[in-house]
Amino acid sequence: FWMVMLAIWLTAAVAVVSRSPLAQNETVCGATATVCPDSFSNTGLGCCVLGPNAQCCQTPLGSPKSLKRNYCCPEGSRCSLDGCTPSNPTYPCGPSQGENCTESFVCAPGPLPWTPAVGSRSIVVIGDSVSLGWTPALQTLVSNGTFQAYVTHSPASGDGGARSTSDMLQCWPYRVATSTLEPLPLLSTDYVLFNFGLHDYNFGLDGVEQYGADLANITTRLQRMLPAKLLFVGTTPAHNTQNPNDNPTVQALNTRAKEVMSSANVPFLDLYTPLIEKCGPVPWADDGPSACPLCAPNCKALSVHYEPAGYSVIASLILEAVKAL
């Protein structure tokens, strides 16, 4: 009896959502994509790149009433708590999820709103959840200082933001366009700050070369498509993750990223070193004389993230690097 009830609950926990004209009006997806719900997107919607008739899926993160994991499956398969069924890999999806996947994260839309003042500089941030933390701090510094600019983030979402290098490549049209899929109107006086790393350490040191290849691809595309000044923002420490191999992998990813940026003649901002100098070797402490002011008293719970004071420190380092471009 209980096995039957569990099976019924698991089936009910997976929501398959069809497209609607209203959804397409709110968030524009390409002709070969499917509009899907995205609980972390600022519009509540996103785009699935697995075809125009893909299955939109949402499964609970934790309890049934918690936030949803937003993903999609190719046509002909169905949603399940374990991914897509049947399991037939359809595309390479890199170190964030695995070498091959049947499922894809839903791509959240680009910057929303896009409202820079006429004649003002723009700073577009493309990055993960840590960048979602320091982007508002950067906005505050810019609005209160003499270096005026419009600061926005791509994608317009919470959760993992632009996630990994592989996710960036899968969601490319939506990372370099507005939420209505119009190309970002950037000029040579504007800036694009980009970072990938904390969603690329899942494969450990074995994933470093693939990360480097993906990052080189991303950098070349940005250089060809956008006239803006580029700055790669180095990955911050994995200061309190459970796997002791995570932080050494971050260091290796930073080394590889620095090499890629050097070859592409793109400035590389090292955030890792000044943060380690401030708080010492990882793991960082929550209390006591060695407590890290960037994340205490919640360093352990924050894992790779920071308290507002920490994000302000990071934003200050970034703003100085932007001014130097």
Side-chain angles (χ1 to χ4, degrees):
F1 170 79
W2 288 112
M3 292 300 293
V4 173
M5 293 301 295
L6 177 62
I8 293 172
W9 182 86
L10 290 175
T11 301
V14 180
V16 181
V17 187
S18 62
R19 293 172 296 158
S20 69
L22 176 62
Q24 293 179 17
N25 288 336
E26 290 176 345
T27 298
V28 177
C29 296
T32 60
T34 300
V35 179
C36 288
D38 184 343
S39 58
F40 295 107
S41 163
N42 288 5
T43 66
L45 299 163
C47 303
C48 173
V49 298
L50 298 186
N53 298 306
Q55 290 277 358
C56 301
C57 311
Q58 290 186 299
T59 56
L61 292 170
S63 65
K65 294 183 179 181
S66 70
L67 293 173
K68 303 295 182 181
R69 171 174 172 264
N70 311 283
Y71 68 102
C72 58
C73 298
E75 183 178 8
S77 63
R78 61 183 175 82
C79 311
S80 78
L81 289 179
D82 296 322
C84 303
T85 305
S87 179
N88 295 311
T90 58
Y91 69 94
C93 50
S96 176
Q97 296 170 265
E99 285 294 342
N100 292 285
C101 298
T102 55
E103 66 187 75
S104 172
F105 284 119
V106 174
C107 301
L112 177 75
W114 180 259
T115 55
V118 176
S120 69
R121 291 172 293 206
S122 294
I123 299 175
V124 177
V125 179
I126 303 174
D128 57 26
S129 55
V130 170
S131 73
L132 287 169
W134 56 253
T135 295
L138 182 62
Q139 290 173 325
T140 299
L141 285 176
V142 167
S143 63
N144 293 336
T146 58
F147 187 90
Q148 295 295 305
Y150 175 72
V151 181
T152 189
H153 192 279
S154 183
S157 71
D159 193 31
R163 296 191 180 90
S164 65
T165 52
S166 55
D167 197 65
M168 173 68 178
L169 292 171
Q170 290 294 328
C171 296
W172 183 268
Y174 309 101
R175 298 289 181 264
V176 294
T178 66
S179 64
T180 54
L181 217 54
E182 298 169 358
L184 294 177
L186 300 177
L187 304 173
S188 60
T189 53
D190 298 321
Y191 306 85
V192 173
L193 318 182
F194 63 116
N195 162 264
F196 302 95
L198 291 176
H199 284 256
D200 287 272
Y201 63 51
N202 295 24
F203 277 2
L205 296 176
D206 290 340
V208 172
E209 287 309 307
Q210 182 178 352
Y211 168 80
D214 286 349
L215 186 58
N217 188 352
I218 291 167
T219 305
T220 298
R221 288 194 189 189
L222 289 174
Q223 289 177 312
R224 289 176 178 173
M225 291 187 62
L226 303 176
K229 299 179 181 70
L230 300 181
L231 172 67
F232 185 82
V233 179
T235 302
T236 50
H239 58 79
N240 271 274
T241 59
Q242 294 182 350
N243 188 337
N245 295 322
D246 289 344
N247 198 60
T249 303
V250 165
Q251 292 175 283
L253 294 177
N254 273 331
T255 298
R256 189 71 185 95
K258 191 172 184 178
E259 294 169 351
V260 170
M261 295 308 137
S262 177
S263 296
N265 198 29
V266 172
F268 174 92
L269 173 60
D270 176 13
L271 290 180
Y272 184 93
T273 300
L275 299 188
I276 289 292
E277 289 176 348
K278 194 170 189 66
C279 289
V282 303
W284 291 343
D286 280 333
D287 49 35
S290 59
C292 174
L294 304 174
C295 54
N298 298 303
C299 296
K300 186 174 181 179
L302 288 169
S303 180
V304 297
H305 300 100
Y306 297 85
E307 290 288 350
Y311 285 127
S312 294
V313 170
I314 294 171
S316 296
L317 294 169
I318 291 169
L319 182 56
E320 291 306 309
V322 168
K323 290 178 179 179
L325 293 178

